[in-house]
Amino acid sequence: RLRIARELHSVGSITEAELGEHEAFHATCAFAAAGPPALAAIPGLPNWFAPAMAASLAPVQNQLNNMQNQLNNMQGHFANVEARQLNSVASDPQDPLHGISNAAGMICPIFPNTLQELGGMTGVQMTQFLNHYALAAGGTNSVKLHRIKKFIGLRIA
């Protein structure tokens, strides 16, 4: 298409502006397919074009990256909501507990697998657990256990 546009321009069938539109379209397609190095390899493009195109597309790429990060955060949030809902029905000591991710997407390495394991946590383990999730870690063991149960979605009697 670009070659045809150049031929049409050479015989006066299209204007310089129309040729520029074809070159810009071709460069945009090449950039989308292969990135900035492809722009530099297109014959006839001015040296400034590839960096200018990359600079003009950088905000779009940043927006896409931000949207992807937001989507990842939402997926993590929804996974935590689901885990809390599943935890809310646990009642038997052997009922499984479902892990909750912290802000960095990490489940605490000492997250209890069952209600029984939760009840057997030591004060030090409860403090480590609370610190992992950036929750207040002060108070008695009873207060810490209550805070953990509430955080993971257990029903508090």
Side-chain angles (χ1 to χ4, degrees), residues 84 87 115 118-119 129-130 142-157:
R84 286 184 175 105
N87 290 341
L115 284 175
L118 174 63
F129 182 96
L130 293 166
S142 176
V143 169
K144 292 176 189 179
L145 183 59
H146 180 82
R147 198 174 293 134
I148 291 171
K149 286 179 177 180
K150 186 175 177 182
F151 175 73
I152 66 173
L154 293 178
R155 292 186 184 178
I156 312 272

Side-chain angles (χ1 to χ4, degrees), residues 94-151:
Q94 296 306 315
D95 282 348
L97 294 176
H98 301 271
I100 308 288
S101 298
N102 66 6
M106 304 294 296
I107 295 175
C108 184
I110 58 170
F111 198 99
N113 293 310
T114 64
L115 284 175
Q116 185 173 4
E117 285 183 19
L118 174 63
M121 289 178 80
T122 66
V124 171
Q125 289 173 320
M126 287 188 264
T127 299
Q128 290 172 341
F129 182 96
L130 293 166
N131 286 334
H132 179 85
Y133 293 102
L135 300 171
T140 65
N141 286 350
S142 176
V143 169
K144 292 176 189 179
L145 183 59
H146 180 82
R147 198 174 293 134
I148 291 171
K149 286 179 177 180
K150 186 175 177 182
F151 175 73

